[in-house]
Amino acid sequence: MVGRANKPTALASTPGLAPQPQVSFSDDNSRVTAVLPTGESIEVLLYGATVISWKDKDGTEKLWLSEAAKLDGTKAVRGGIPLVFPVFGTASDHAQTSKLPQHGFARTSRWEFLGKSTSESTPASSTAADLSVKLDFGLSPAALDSDTKSKWPYVFNMIYSVTLSRDSLTTSLVVNNDDDKPFECQLLLHTYLRVQDISKVEIKGLSSATYIDKVNGSSSQQTQSSALTISGETDRVYTPATPPTDPVSVVEGGKTTFTVVRDNLSDVVVWNPWTEKANGLADFAPKEGYKNMLCIEPGSVVGWQTLEPGEAFEGAQTITISN
């Protein structure tokens, strides 16, 4: 065969098809990355199915991740979006979860990557604005160590979906009770949002909410103002009177930067450690990092969700960024 001096290069994609979202694994199979053709990206650790990065088309990071976060599976990740299940905090007076560690085991278990799906069902008619990619992860008792199983001996199945669109990120958790007896649980999407200056931030959408103030003895309070500002350690569990579809907004310097809409999650935790607490957290870095983060955490954590055998519970959040 005669060689040709100018051979055609391999095609990057099938002719006639719009560019597709790309999904790849790290060399050690510890994390999954998804990138839209327009540049937006997410990165998810299989450890905890923890979203550790969410960037817009310009490469600007939208989540806060501690510089001292452990990403090797030795400790729950400080930052990103850890998953809290089946207990929020600790519950020494709750028989089913009293022996479990802080925030349960979902955030410290290795999840299985189940696959991806995209919005590209009809490529010829789709536009860049329609693009999205969904990553699915699964967790069952088979992934738990014997110690955890002994402390929470229920048969369950969890599916966690992370969907990246051009201007939003949706995270959805479905819990199935596959046991022959009921169990009670709590769940929370422990989202660390990145902000430029916490002193210029207002949180709106909680004006009609009651809340538990965990900094002040877990006292029950009623929101008095239309916007919440952060000027010290804040750890509050809000239960808005408005529907979950009504957004909670993060406004910085007068501009809305994030809106958070919940699905079937009645509570919203607002957390910032401030100076003293940040200094006391070994994996929180830099220590001044509290100025650049704000946790807005949709969940079901006031009381318990009871799942009878065969029942399922689903909760989700959609975070939209304003450009």
Side-chain angles (χ1 to χ4, degrees):
M1 180 179 293
V2 178
R4 292 168 57 186
N6 297 303
K7 295 181 181 179
T9 58
L11 293 174
S13 59
T14 305
L17 290 181
Q20 301 288 302
Q22 300 298 310
V23 176
S24 60
F25 283 84
S26 62
D27 290 341
D28 61 357
N29 288 322
S30 68
R31 62 189 70 184
V32 185
T33 300
V35 183
L36 297 183
T38 44
E40 297 83 359
S41 67
I42 52 172
E43 190 171 359
V44 186
L45 279 183
L46 292 183
Y47 178 72
T50 311
V51 182
I52 58 172
S53 176
W54 170 30
K55 295 179 180 178
D56 66 14
K57 62 183 176 59
D58 299 319
T60 302
E61 182 60 65
K62 298 302 177 181
L63 299 177
W64 185 86
L65 181 68
S66 170
E67 293 177 4
K70 301 295 184 182
L71 305 181
D72 59 359
T74 59
K75 186 179 182 180
V77 176
R78 174 72 64 188
I81 310 180
L83 297 178
V84 172
F85 176 88
V87 60
F88 173 57
T90 56
S92 59
D93 58 347
H94 184 257
Q96 292 185 356
T97 60
S98 62
K99 297 178 181 179
L100 290 175
Q102 172 90 358
H103 291 335
F105 55 77
R107 65 179 187 156
T108 55
S109 299
R110 183 178 173 90
W111 291 60
E112 178 185 1
F113 178 61
L114 301 178
K116 69 166 184 175
S117 56
T118 72
S119 60
E120 286 285 278
S121 56
T122 54
S125 62
S126 296
T127 66
D130 299 325
L131 287 174
S132 68
V133 60
K134 180 164 73 78
L135 308 179
D136 292 324
F137 304 86
L139 184 68
S140 69
L144 305 183
D145 58 39
S146 57
D147 181 62
T148 301
K149 289 179 183 178
S150 69
K151 293 175 179 176
W152 207 72
Y154 299 97
V155 183
F156 68 95
N157 181 53
M158 298 171 67
I159 304 294
Y160 182 53
S161 299
V162 180
T163 303
L164 173 67
S165 299
R166 290 206 63 192
D167 62 354
S168 67
L169 181 69
T170 298
T171 59
S172 173
L173 187 62
V174 181
V175 182
N176 295 278
N177 182 357
D178 293 336
D179 213 315
D180 58 4
K181 53 186 176 294
F183 62 71
E184 296 181 327
C185 62
Q186 298 172 326
L187 62 88
L188 183 83
L189 303 168
H190 197 319
T191 308
Y192 290 72
L193 298 175
R194 178 174 287 276
V195 299
Q196 296 299 312
D197 184 351
I198 192 65
S199 69
K200 298 179 179 179
V201 168
E202 294 182 317
I203 301 102
K204 297 184 177 181
L206 300 173
S207 58
S208 57
T210 58
Y211 65 90
I212 299 169
D213 192 338
K214 299 179 73 175
V215 173
N216 294 310
S218 294
S219 59
S220 181
Q221 308 280 345
Q222 180 74 37
T223 304
Q224 300 297 323
S225 60
S226 60
L228 169 66
T229 58
I230 309 296
S231 58
E233 182 185 351
T234 303
D235 191 356
R236 298 179 177 182
V237 184
Y238 285 85
T239 303
T242 53
T245 51
D246 285 7
V248 174
S249 300
V250 177
V251 180
E252 186 167 1
K255 177 185 177 183
T256 299
T257 53
F258 299 98
T259 58
V260 182
V261 173
R262 297 163 287 132
D263 184 0
N264 203 33
L265 296 175
S266 57
D267 308 313
V268 179
V269 175
V270 178
W271 185 74
N272 183 289
W274 213 250
T275 309
E276 185 175 348
K277 178 62 71 68
N279 284 332
L281 297 171
D283 61 351
F284 194 100
K287 295 305 179 185
E288 296 288 302
Y290 71 89
K291 297 178 180 179
N292 306 118
M293 55 76 61
L294 173 67
C295 283
I296 302 291
E297 314 167 29
S300 179
V301 296
V302 176
W304 299 86
Q305 290 290 335
T306 300
L307 292 187
E308 298 294 336
E311 285 189 340
F313 178 80
E314 180 176 3
Q317 68 171 347
T318 296
I319 310 166
T320 301
I321 54 177
S322 301
N323 298 312

